[in-house]
Amino acid sequence: MPSMRWAGVRWHLSSDALALAGGVLLVVNAAWLAAYAAIVASLGRPQPCDARGEHRAVVWGLLGFLALNVVSAAAMVWVGTRGTPLQPSRRRWMGPLMYFQAAKWLASVGYIAFCFQAVYTLPNACWQDERRGLIQGMLWSTTAIFAVLGLAGVFSYNALASKDPAARWEIRLKWMGRILGCYSLLTQPPPSGEENTAQRAPPIQELSRFMARSFGAIDVEKTDVLAGMYLAAAMLSQQRLAAGLSLMHAAGVLRGRRVHAEQAEPADTASAASQCLPEDQTAAGMPAGAGMATGAQHMQAEGRHPGQGRPSANGLGANGKSGEHAGQPTEVAIPIGDNEEAFWVWLRGICQRPKFLLEPPARAALAAPNLSPQQLAAACCGRDTEAVPRRVLEEAEHWAWHALAAYGKQSLMEHTPHPWLTRLRLLRSVYPRSRAARRALPPVRDKVKESRQYARHYFSAKKLVGYRDEDVVYVSFSDSFLGAVPYGIVLDRQRRAVVVTIRGTASMASLLSDLSEKPEGLSDWLPPAFREAHSPALDGAQGHSGILSAAKGVLADLNRHQILHILLTGRCGPESNGQQEAGDSGAGHGEPRRTPKDYQDILERRGLDCRGWALVLCGHSLGAGIAALLAPHFRDWWPDVHAWAFCPPGGMVTPNLAAALDPLVTCVVVGKDAVSRTSTATFERLQDQVVVALARCRVTKLRVLLTGRSRWLRRLPASQLFSPPELIPKEALTYLRSYFEGKQQYKHLLVHMEPPGRCALLRRLRKPGAADRGHSFEAVWVQRQQLIQEGLLLSKHMVKDHYTSTLTAALSSVLQSGKATTAESAGQEHRGALSATQVA
């Protein structure tokens, strides 16, 4: 770090990443050298021949070239492992070494050509059969290695170095789109008929701008990002452990006790004890104000005068050359003022441990092994946390299965113990398709006839939840970018509720809608009655543009056929503006176009009358966000409405709208689910943690990459792995200032966004030394702001916790544990908001 500039061009490599390539070459060449030397020595002297000089040049020349390869590869490892990732000047000899390597490889090509000529043209009398075969194998394997190195050089060449970051990412995304088969989705314009169509760019341009904002403020390579993620996870783990132990100490759990090394597990008693400090001290053991000195004071402490500064934001100096190529970063003047003060405030904030925890650190249990998991969670996360009533959890588990039914076959495969047997049964159930479709009732039958894939989704949903054909009223498989997503309308006769289940992200089109995260105003789209009831709090309300567009598409289709209005009121409703906004007919290729009156006749023939029933909207992931945005529209004409949002996107709506949705929406978040914690603010904080961890790192990047997946890195004492902020090396601090300056130009684009409605967190509990299968969960109410402030927690659970199987297992664990409160008073306040789901 930064990318290496060599031979007048920039490469997709950094000098410390070449240590990994050098290590591979060292192992390969050392093995060849040992094997070749042993075999040559065992074969004895060759027979005399006329071309004895050429014979010796081949045999002993190969031995010399292998020895030279071993020495040069060892030199690459030694130079590449000098300094930390943000100290490229300590690896300044990598440039001359690569010139030597290039010259050696060119000479090797000529020598290998000579060896081929000698091996295949010299008379047989000059060779022993074993020796000729050995040298032929060495030559061909060396040729293959050179071919691989040549391809690596081609792919390492940065042909886009002269373009700005957004243009570079747009070109990369075009190639990725062609490879993945989604080029047309990436380049298509936004759907017509929307108010802001002229202001919205194609998805490839929005994605390229997002990637440029994310990684354009500092010059990083792929190995830098990977090593930074490992280091950020270790830094966050140590900070959370320090915060947990401090909170346990404040709660009196550790009072009168000393935390030993084997309990806290950062390896030494001094490090473990330093993590149980009062709140006015940082995780590094420094006073909280130690990093708040002026920029001039810090520069004097570093031995620099105030005129010294940082490289440019793209990693190049003022002369356009890389700091790594020049031997040290080129510095320009930086003024001392408010920006320098803000830099140190920002840096200390990243290095400081969190003030609160929503989920207890796993290793905190080792400090108090006698505590139960619930007592440990109360000590680490606060005893005033309100538990979710058991009645609410039972409702959540019930509606969660409806939400998962929208995924169809995907959800069934995830929840079945025998996926391949289930696949065979599905194939048998949908063949022939015409006979299978006859089991469905209209208007669902027309949809199932369209495609065998649709039929599999339909029968999968029935098998997953236990739907009967007469319970399924309508299904839509329309799936478009910034448009409608698949959903269904089913009847829950046990709870007398009409259920709209909306599918989450399960296609490239819906994934691109997820990535269209630019905030968009939606005050005018909300129903007038809802706006007036919450005026003026909803002024300036914004939402995730991709989710909002998908909600408009689903609402347009619901308003087109008006099945919900017919079921709940017994008559067709008035036309809505949503139909004109999205312009999606919703009819498939095999479905006849019907009017609301036609649907009313069909439902009457089926004998469906749901007047007086509740209306429940539910979804998972993207579907959860859509369900939350649709709830106010149906509340406008039907009072008994509630939405259940399971694992919704974290950066979804602004706080004013999220608070207004409290009576209508209940969202359920599982553990460290990354989707429910991701917003523009949390993603930027993750980038900050990655860059700061790289700057504070005290070990080489090669060591981080080799041990990043092991427990060694996370359990290394903080004093050995990270430098305190005031002791960050000058060169690393220069790059850190460059990153901080670069990110300021995007500061105005950050909008604070939150999940919708009231938030229930299913947090993970674990006993000391328990394996993953020993986890249990408990459900507590948390504030939306706290969930976003805690941010992304880098862990192996951050992806698994978003799986539908994890959601159902967590809800089942909470209910089976018997720890959820059943007190009537605890649930009285929330029952009023859940009238839609509390009908007898």
Side-chain angles (χ1 to χ4, degrees):
M1 186 176 192
S3 57
M4 190 172 181
R5 185 177 180 87
W6 180 76
V9 296
R10 296 181 68 83
W11 301 83
H12 289 300
L13 288 171
S14 55
S15 56
D16 48 1
L18 289 173
L20 186 60
V24 175
L25 292 176
L26 177 61
V27 172
V28 173
N29 283 283
W32 280 356
L33 177 61
Y36 182 75
I39 295 176
V40 169
S42 65
L43 293 179
R45 292 178 176 270
Q47 300 176 0
C49 66
D50 297 334
R52 189 170 184 178
E54 294 184 23
H55 178 273
R56 287 182 175 179
V58 171
V59 174
W60 300 108
L62 276 177
L63 191 65
F65 264 107
L66 286 175
L68 188 60
N69 287 340
V70 170
V71 173
S72 60
M76 288 178 61
V77 174
W78 182 76
V79 175
T81 53
R82 289 180 60 84
T84 60
L86 291 187
Q87 290 181 295
S89 64
R90 299 194 60 182
R91 299 181 292 274
R92 57 185 175 273
W93 291 105
M94 186 62 76
L97 181 59
M98 293 306 297
Y99 280 112
F100 172 77
Q101 288 277 39
K104 178 179 66 68
W105 287 332
L106 289 176
S108 299
V109 171
Y111 176 73
I112 288 175
F114 162 75
C115 291
F116 270 113
Q117 183 270 336
V119 169
Y120 286 97
T121 60
L122 289 181
N124 293 333
C126 298
W127 299 100
Q128 297 177 1
D129 292 339
E130 296 85 353
R131 183 169 292 183
R132 183 195 290 268
L134 170 65
I135 294 178
Q136 287 177 347
M138 293 291 296
L139 291 176
W140 283 112
S141 58
T142 304
T143 303
I145 291 295
F146 280 160
V148 172
L149 291 176
L151 288 175
V154 171
F155 285 108
S156 300
Y157 172 66
N158 189 356
L160 306 177
S162 60
K163 299 182 180 296
D164 62 272
R168 288 202 297 265
W169 277 105
E170 185 171 350
I171 295 173
R172 292 167 184 163
L173 290 172
K174 285 182 179 179
W175 279 102
M176 292 172 61
R178 291 188 178 98
I179 294 173
L180 297 176
C182 58
Y183 179 79
S184 58
L185 279 176
L186 287 172
T187 56
Q188 74 178 22
S192 59
E194 298 208 8
E195 298 176 358
N196 61 341
T197 300
Q199 302 176 0
R200 180 176 292 174
I204 190 169
Q205 294 184 13
E206 292 192 3
L207 288 176
S208 60
R209 293 169 188 166
F210 171 75
M211 299 302 289
R213 292 199 309 267
S214 303
F215 303 103
I218 193 170
D219 188 7
V220 294
E221 286 303 315
K222 288 74 180 173
T223 55
D224 295 322
V225 176
L226 180 59
M229 295 289 283
Y230 286 145
L231 290 169
M235 183 176 70
L236 188 60
S237 175
Q238 293 176 354
Q239 290 174 345
R240 285 175 50 80
L241 178 59
L245 294 177
S246 178
L247 292 170
M248 292 169 65
H249 181 78
V253 175
L254 302 179
R255 185 175 301 168
R257 299 181 54 190
R258 185 173 182 82
V259 182
H260 296 286
E262 60 272 12
Q263 293 175 331
E265 275 194 277
D268 63 348
T269 307
S271 178
S274 67
Q275 292 174 338
C276 273
L277 296 174
E279 283 295 322
D280 59 346
Q281 296 186 12
T282 66
M286 299 297 297
M292 309 298 293
T294 64
Q297 291 172 339
H298 283 283
M299 288 185 171
Q300 292 171 1
E302 296 164 2
R304 295 185 288 117
H305 58 80
Q308 290 178 320
R310 63 194 184 283
S312 60
N314 61 1
L316 301 177
N319 57 359
K321 296 182 179 180
S322 168
E324 184 160 345
H325 176 65
Q328 60 183 5
T330 305
E331 296 184 342
V332 296
I334 177 173
I336 303 301
D338 294 339
N339 206 38
E340 180 71 5
E341 186 74 16
F343 167 75
W344 285 103
V345 172
W346 165 79
L347 179 57
R348 292 299 299 183
I350 298 298
C351 299
Q352 200 169 12
R353 66 169 180 252
K355 299 298 182 183
F356 65 90
L357 299 173
L358 296 182
E359 185 164 326
R363 288 186 290 158
L366 299 174
N370 296 327
L371 295 181
S372 67
Q374 289 77 15
Q375 292 173 334
L376 178 67
C380 291
C381 307
R383 302 180 185 276
D384 55 348
T385 307
E386 180 185 359
V388 179
R390 185 178 183 85
R391 173 62 175 164
V392 176
L393 290 172
E394 291 173 348
E395 294 290 330
E397 185 184 38
H398 179 81
W399 300 120
W401 287 105
H402 284 282
L404 304 188
Y407 286 102
K409 179 184 174 182
Q410 174 185 338
S411 188
L412 180 63
M413 292 298 105
E414 192 172 342
H415 287 83
T416 183
H418 307 290
W420 288 106
L421 182 60
T422 305
R423 289 177 189 272
L424 293 176
R425 291 175 177 173
L426 280 178
L427 288 175
R428 186 181 63 182
S429 64
V430 300
Y431 184 83
R433 188 167 75 248
S434 58
R435 186 179 65 182
R438 283 198 293 269
R439 284 180 270 174
L441 301 177
V444 179
R445 180 182 300 165
D446 300 322
K447 290 285 187 180
V448 176
K449 285 182 179 179
E450 292 182 23
S451 166
R452 185 169 283 110
Q453 180 181 4
Y454 294 170
R456 283 196 291 266
H457 285 310
Y458 172 72
F459 288 109
S460 297
K462 286 178 53 181
K463 182 175 180 60
L464 181 69
V465 185
Y467 293 139
R468 297 177 299 175
D469 290 308
E470 53 267 27
D471 294 333
V472 185
V473 180
Y474 182 81
V475 291
S476 172
F477 296 101
S478 176
D479 190 8
S480 59
F481 168 63
L482 296 179
V485 299
Y487 72 94
I489 301 176
V490 297
L491 303 181
D492 191 324
R493 301 179 187 272
Q494 179 184 1
R495 283 171 166 75
R496 292 178 55 85
V498 178
V499 185
V500 179
T501 171
I502 307 172
R503 197 201 70 184
T505 304
S507 66
M508 184 58 67
S510 56
L511 176 61
L512 292 176
S513 296
D514 285 330
L515 296 177
S516 300
E517 45 77 39
K518 185 178 180 180
E520 181 178 337
L522 47 69
S523 297
D524 296 337
W525 180 73
L526 295 172
F530 185 77
R531 291 201 308 267
E532 293 175 3
H534 299 87
S535 180
L538 289 183
D539 294 344
Q542 293 180 303
H544 187 292
S545 61
I547 301 176
L548 177 59
S549 297
K552 290 179 179 179
V554 173
L555 181 62
D557 193 50
L558 290 169
N559 288 331
R560 177 186 63 84
H561 53 65
Q562 298 185 17
I563 288 179
L564 288 180
H565 208 282
I566 295 170
L567 286 173
L568 294 171
T569 65
R571 62 182 185 277
C572 298
E575 292 186 358
S576 172
N577 293 330
Q579 184 173 351
Q580 284 76 26
E581 287 176 356
D584 184 3
S585 66
H589 298 292
E591 179 190 6
R593 292 184 177 273
R594 297 188 176 100
T595 64
K597 181 61 177 175
D598 296 331
Y599 284 106
Q600 184 177 9
D601 295 339
I602 292 174
L603 298 181
E604 288 178 353
R605 286 196 297 269
R606 289 181 56 178
L608 298 180
D609 185 2
C610 303
R611 284 177 286 186
W613 286 26
L615 176 60
V616 177
L617 309 169
C618 56
H620 175 268
S621 190
L622 173 64
I626 297 173
L629 290 180
L630 293 181
H633 284 271
F634 295 114
R635 184 63 175 269
D636 198 35
W637 57 269
W638 192 250
D640 204 354
V641 177
H642 196 79
W644 287 87
F646 299 97
C647 304
M652 186 176 151
V653 292
T654 48
N656 54 351
L657 180 56
L661 292 174
D662 277 351
L664 297 176
V665 180
T666 301
C667 73
V668 180
V669 178
V670 181
K672 300 179 180 180
D673 180 9
V675 174
S676 298
R677 295 170 178 266
T678 299
S679 66
T680 52
T682 58
F683 189 75
E684 186 201 24
R685 191 182 314 138
L686 176 62
Q687 297 174 51
D688 295 345
Q689 292 168 344
V690 168
V691 177
V692 171
L694 286 170
R696 297 181 61 198
C697 177
R698 284 184 165 178
V699 298
T700 63
K701 184 164 72 177
L702 180 62
R703 191 176 182 185
V704 173
L705 293 176
L706 293 178
T707 60
R709 298 277 297 178
S710 66
R711 295 183 178 182
W712 175 88
L713 189 68
R714 296 191 301 272
R715 297 184 178 181
L716 194 68
S719 59
Q720 297 182 21
L721 185 57
F722 296 112
S723 299
E726 66 280 354
L727 297 182
I728 294 177
K730 290 191 298 182
E731 191 174 7
L733 200 61
T734 301
Y735 284 106
L736 209 53
R737 284 197 181 91
S738 169
Y739 169 77
F740 180 75
E741 290 292 329
K743 69 195 291 286
Q744 297 307 305
Q745 59 182 316
Y746 304 116
K747 188 176 181 180
H748 65 284
L749 298 176
L750 296 178
V751 178
H752 182 69
M753 308 279 272
E754 299 175 350
R758 198 176 184 193
C759 186
L761 175 65
L762 306 179
R763 62 186 181 191
R764 184 175 281 98
L765 305 175
R766 186 174 67 177
K767 294 182 179 180
D772 286 348
R773 60 181 178 271
H775 286 170
S776 60
F777 292 85
E778 72 171 357
V780 294
W781 296 114
V782 297
Q783 298 180 11
R784 298 178 300 271
Q785 301 87 341
Q786 290 182 330
L787 191 68
I788 298 302
Q789 288 173 10
E790 190 175 43
L792 290 165
L793 303 179
L794 296 176
S795 166
K796 62 182 179 181
H797 299 293
M798 63 185 299
V799 176
K800 293 180 181 179
D801 285 351
H802 192 66
Y803 293 169
T804 57
S805 56
T806 307
L807 170 66
T808 54
L811 288 170
S812 177
S813 172
V814 173
L815 290 173
Q816 290 178 3
S817 66
K819 299 300 182 181
T821 179
T822 56
E824 188 69 22
S825 58
Q828 200 61 248
E829 176 184 353
H830 193 62
R831 287 197 181 109
L834 302 181
S835 57
T837 60
Q838 306 297 321
V839 179

